[in-house]
Amino acid sequence: MAHAQTTHPTSQETIAEFDRYVVPNYRRYPVSLVRGENSWIWDAEGRRYLDFFPGWGCNLLGHCPPRVVEAVRDQVGRLIHVPNTWYMEAQGEFARALSERSFGGQSFFCNSGAEANEAAIKLARAYGHPRGKFKILTMEGGFHGRTFAALTATAQPKYHEGFEPMVPGFVYMKYDDLEAVAAAIDDQTAAVMLEPIQGEGGVKIPSRNFLPGLRKLCDDRGALLILDEVQTGMGRTGSWFAYQHSGITPDVLTCAKALAGGIAAGVMIAKPEIAAVLKPGMHASTFGGNPIACRAGLATVETIEEEGLLARGAAIGERFRSQFEALQAEIPEKIREIRILGVMIGLDLTFDASDVVAQCLSRRLLINATHGHVVRLLPALTISDEQIDQGCAILADVLREAQH
């Protein structure tokens, strides 16, 4: 394995520059990362880490996937950006690829999951406006982004604090409670919006009848069903999109993170008859659907299909499950529940998980904690069995040693 270059500033030098010039709105670990390769990543001092949470889930194919790197290199030498007042080959091809792998919808491209969700909310409002429909029902514990409507859709008070008043017209429901939605949905409801699996909310997987039940409620009451697949999309759960496990299709779907193999990209996909509501000038994104992102997205789709990574994702999930079930049997007082679908993995602990993240970092394993007590892992579809076993051994030792 190649070693990191020695020409980088040290981690401390980079941290000092951040302290002086970068807005301190993130909690950062005291490490400057300089290079990545598949599930390995190196810091400025040349130390190597195993990454079980690459790019917050954006690096679904690992760090610097060769086909994506080559596509980007080729594209930047030909055309970097053109505005959406012109046609471009790559955007049309990528939209077709997504349509064929989802439900035949049309794509609006943007740069992030929050932007995609903003577009979905605006589309739902515009679609419902002639019939007086404006309410959006979302789920407690959900997360839809940091822009204002997406933040309001995020039914977690801690994210609203300091920004009130929020955007009117949102109603919050308990996740996986079909009866509550049935009681709340009315003639003013434009849409029900949710994640098919809550990611930031603790990797919560709903009961099998929840999505089919929501689909029927929306059909009966004339509301749109919007699925936020920003985190679950593009193969993370063992299918292209998580809704495909449920036997239903949404009216509108949003996706980002893994959409373009780590290049910034977001998309809203809508059924054509719904998408037609958005006329020129009603919504836009300057950089959305640029040639680089679309070529990277096409390379991501090709890599997943040609390397059989959807099936690999399911196998990876089962390998994690077998190891974690054995660990839970050993320390049941520390692991409350294991939640896994494909390479979307949550360990619900009986104690705060922040120390677990810090201890794993000290042993050069990168993981994430969410919802206070859930260890969240979003490993790459390209991770090897050996790397899974190595990382799980580190995490298991940390949990065994945890004093709780």
Side-chain angles (χ1 to χ4, degrees), residues 156 158-159 200-202 336 347-357 368-375:
Q156 297 194 54
K158 65 181 181 181
Y159 292 121
E200 197 272 347
R336 182 185 292 117
L347 284 182
D348 192 346
L349 306 182
T350 58
F351 57 92
D352 186 275
S354 56
D355 286 347
V356 175
V357 176
N368 172 256
T370 186
H371 224 59
H373 51 83
V374 177
V375 170

Side-chain angles (χ1 to χ4, degrees), residues 59-81:
N59 299 323
L60 183 68
L61 304 179
H63 294 283
C64 302
R67 195 189 295 249
V68 173
V69 170
E70 182 56 35
V72 170
R73 281 178 174 154
D74 176 69
Q75 186 60 50
V76 297
R78 294 192 290 133
L79 189 66
I80 291 177
H81 175 68

Side-chain angles (χ1 to χ4, degrees), residues 136-144 151-160 170-177 180-181 184 192-206 210 214 371:
I136 310 287
L137 273 55
T138 65
M139 304 296 151
E140 295 175 359
F143 185 83
H144 300 290
L151 186 68
T152 307
T154 297
Q156 297 194 54
K158 65 181 181 181
Y159 292 121
H160 297 174
F170 287 83
V171 182
Y172 305 138
M173 301 284 99
K174 186 178 179 182
Y175 191 62
D176 202 15
D177 188 340
V181 180
V192 176
M193 179 178 182
L194 73 157
E195 300 156 282
I197 299 173
Q198 289 190 335
E200 197 272 347
V203 192
K204 292 182 180 174
I205 303 172
F210 187 51
L214 288 180
H371 224 59

Side-chain angles (χ1 to χ4, degrees), residues 229-245:
E229 297 236 19
V230 168
Q231 190 165 130
T232 54
M234 293 302 285
R236 180 159 299 284
T237 65
S239 61
W240 282 108
F241 300 99
Y243 80 82
Q244 291 166 333
H245 295 284

Side-chain angles (χ1 to χ4, degrees), residues 332-343:
E333 73 281 6
K334 295 183 180 180
I335 301 177
R336 182 185 292 117
E337 187 177 7
I338 300 164
R339 300 190 282 265
I340 297 177
L341 189 59
V343 288

Side-chain angles (χ1 to χ4, degrees), residues 16-38:
E17 196 158 60
F18 268 56
D19 287 345
R20 183 169 183 181
Y21 296 111
V22 178
V23 174
N25 62 315
Y26 296 102
R27 292 190 182 92
R28 300 178 191 269
Y29 296 104
V31 176
S32 174
L33 300 173
V34 297
R35 185 172 68 87
E37 181 180 314
N38 200 351

Side-chain angles (χ1 to χ4, degrees), residues 48-343:
R48 191 179 72 168
Y49 301 79
L50 182 56
D51 198 349
F52 272 12
F53 201 69
W56 283 73
C58 297
N59 299 323
L60 183 68
L61 304 179
H63 294 283
C64 302
R67 195 189 295 249
V68 173
V69 170
E70 182 56 35
V72 170
R73 281 178 174 154
D74 176 69
Q75 186 60 50
V76 297
R78 294 192 290 133
L79 189 66
I80 291 177
H81 175 68
V82 289
N84 281 301
T85 47
W86 304 94
Y87 293 94
M88 65 192 92
E89 178 184 356
Q91 188 176 131
E93 290 182 356
F94 192 30
R96 175 165 54 83
L98 294 172
S99 183
E100 291 175 349
R101 287 158 184 79
S102 55
F103 50 89
Q106 294 179 319
S107 290
F108 163 79
F109 290 103
C110 48
N111 307 290
S112 69
E115 280 188 68
N117 285 329
E118 289 283 336
I121 291 166
K122 286 183 68 176
L123 176 61
R125 287 278 182 95
Y127 187 75
H129 188 265
R131 290 164 289 147
K133 292 176 174 287
F134 63 94
K135 293 181 183 175
I136 310 287
L137 273 55
T138 65
M139 304 296 151
E140 295 175 359
F143 185 83
H144 300 290
R146 307 276 185 168
T147 54
F148 226 101
L151 186 68
T152 307
T154 297
Q156 297 194 54
K158 65 181 181 181
Y159 292 121
H160 297 174
E161 190 174 345
F163 299 110
E164 301 91 344
M166 310 306 290
V167 177
F170 287 83
V171 182
Y172 305 138
M173 301 284 99
K174 186 178 179 182
Y175 191 62
D176 202 15
D177 188 340
L178 206 53
E179 291 184 2
V181 180
I185 195 168
D186 59 24
D187 291 341
Q188 294 179 320
T189 302
V192 176
M193 179 178 182
L194 73 157
E195 300 156 282
I197 299 173
Q198 289 190 335
E200 197 272 347
V203 192
K204 292 182 180 174
I205 303 172
S207 55
R208 294 180 64 86
N209 68 342
F210 187 51
L211 287 181
L214 288 180
R215 178 69 275 175
K216 186 175 187 308
L217 278 175
C218 289
D219 289 341
D220 291 346
R221 305 304 295 267
L224 300 182
L225 179 61
I226 302 172
L227 293 183
D228 175 345
E229 297 236 19
V230 168
Q231 190 165 130
T232 54
M234 293 302 285
R236 180 159 299 284
T237 65
S239 61
W240 282 108
F241 300 99
Y243 80 82
Q244 291 166 333
H245 295 284
S246 69
I248 61 104
T249 57
D251 299 301
V252 181
L253 179 150
T254 59
C255 186
K257 290 191 182 296
L259 184 63
I263 298 294
V267 68
M268 176 193 71
I269 305 171
K271 291 179 177 177
E273 65 274 21
I274 299 169
V277 169
L278 287 183
K279 307 299 182 187
M282 291 179 68
H283 195 60
S285 173
T286 298
F287 287 101
N290 71 75
I292 297 171
C294 289
R295 285 290 305 281
L298 285 165
T300 299
V301 170
E302 292 166 0
T303 301
I304 290 171
E305 290 192 329
E306 293 182 13
E307 297 185 12
L309 295 181
L310 293 181
R312 173 61 184 159
I316 290 171
E318 291 311 304
R319 193 173 186 92
F320 272 100
R321 184 188 302 280
S322 66
Q323 302 210 29
F324 289 154
E325 285 180 346
L327 184 63
Q328 186 185 36
E330 180 185 335
I331 49 172
E333 73 281 6
K334 295 183 180 180
I335 301 177
R336 182 185 292 117
E337 187 177 7
I338 300 164
R339 300 190 282 265
I340 297 177
L341 189 59
V343 288

Side-chain angles (χ1 to χ4, degrees), residues 29 353-362 365-369 375 398:
Y29 296 104
S354 56
D355 286 347
V356 175
V357 176
Q359 287 299 315
C360 284
L361 175 62
S362 72
L365 174 67
L366 306 186
I367 65 170
N368 172 256
V375 170
V398 169

